[in-house]
Amino acid sequence: MAWFKRETQGIITTTEEKKEAPDGIWNKCPQCKKPLHYSEQVENQYVCHYCGFHLRIGSKEYFSILFDNNEFTELYPNMVSGDPLNFVDTKKYTDRLTETQFKTGLKDAIRAAVGKIDGQDIVIACMDFNFIGGSMGSVVGEKIARSIDYSIEHKVPFLMISKSGGARMMEAAFSLMQMAKTSAKLALLSEAKVPYISLLTDPTTGGVTASYAMLGDINIAEPGALIGFAGPRVIKETIKKDLPKGFQTAEFVQEHGFLDFIVDRREMKAELAAFLKMMKN
Ligand SMILES: [Zn+2]
C-alpha cells in the first residue's frame, strides 16, 4: 500500500522549495518578535496585542480606522509631481516616481479626504511613508495647502497625520518652499478659527517637524514614535555630547513640552471625536 507507506526515506526539501505563508498574512512584531496574523492586526488597529507596539501603517489604514464606516471622499486625488530640476541620482527622478506609483498604487506621499469622525465633519491629510520615505515635495505641500483651503471654505476641522523622513531631496528648494507655504496656510486656518489637530506618527522628522507637524492647536503623537528634526548622529557631532536615553521618542518630546498628548491608536478615534466636540463648543 504505497500510498500510505513511506517508500522513499530521507526526503529533504531545500529551503528555496519550501512554501511560505503569503506575504502580509503573517508579520513579525518588530519589537517583541512575536508573530502577528494579518486579521489580528486589522482587528487591533495595527497595534501588537502582545507588547503594544504601533506598526507603521499608511493612509489607507488610517482612513479605515478613523472615518466612520470607512466612508470618505478623496480630495485632489490626481495630483502628481513634476521634475522641475531634471534630477538624477542612482536613477532619474521621473523613473523613480513612475516606479513608486506602480509599486504603491499611490500618486505621491500623501492622500487627503473629507468624511466624518463620530458624525462630525473632518478633513484628514495623511502621509504615506512607502512613497519615497514619506518625503515632502511639492505635491505634499500643495495638497496640504488645498486641503486647508477646503477646511476654511467649508469650516471643517483639519487633521494632519505626519509620517515623514523630511523634505524631498529630488525637489530641493521646491521642497523647502512647502514649509513656508503650509505654515502660512495654517495661519489663515487659525485666523478663520477652524481647528487644526496635528498627529505625529513614527517617524516624523526634518522639514515636516519644522513646519506643519508642530503647528497644531493640539499636537498629539502615537506612543514610541520617533520625532525629531535632525538625526541623532548629526546632533551628537554638533553639540559634542552624548544624547540622553529615549531621545527623540514621543514620550521624551512630550516631557520637554513639544506635544500635548500621546494617544494609543486604539483610542485615537474616540479621543479625536472628543477633541472635535470640545473645540466646537
Ligand atoms: Zn509586539
Side-chain angles (χ1 to χ4, degrees), residues 60-93:
K60 181 172 169 263
E61 290 80 12
Y62 278 109
F63 287 172
S64 76
I65 290 169
L66 297 175
F67 282 126
D68 295 351
N69 311 316
N70 198 16
E71 283 169 11
F72 56 87
T73 311
E74 200 171 336
L75 301 171
Y76 325 109
N78 296 318
M79 226 182 263
V80 287
S81 204
D83 182 16
L85 305 172
N86 296 315
F87 194 91
V88 181
D89 48 67
T90 49
K91 55 181 102 163
K92 281 159 86 179
Y93 180 39

Side-chain angles (χ1 to χ4, degrees), residues 230-241 243 247-248:
R233 193 174 45 87
V234 176
I235 300 173
K236 200 176 158 181
E237 276 168 17
T238 311
I239 64 171
K240 313 256 181 263
K241 265 185 198 169
L243 298 166
F247 181 67
Q248 289 185 330

Side-chain angles (χ1 to χ4, degrees), residues 29 31-34 36 48 50-53:
C29 168
Q31 188 167 277
C32 71
K33 313 286 180 215
K34 293 212 170 92
L36 303 169
C48 171
Y50 298 106
C51 71
F53 181 83

Side-chain angles (χ1 to χ4, degrees), residues 11 28 33 61 66 102 118 138 151 158 163 224 252 270:
I11 297 172
K28 211 193 234 174
K33 313 286 180 215
E61 290 80 12
L66 297 175
F102 181 74
D118 262 0
S138 9
S151 281
F158 179 57
K163 186 182 285 292
F252 186 93

Side-chain angles (χ1 to χ4, degrees), residues 18 31 33 47 49 70 104 157 161 190 192 230 268:
K18 276 181 189 158
Q31 188 167 277
K33 313 286 180 215
V47 175
H49 52 259
N70 198 16
T104 60
I161 304 175
S190 166
M268 192 63 76

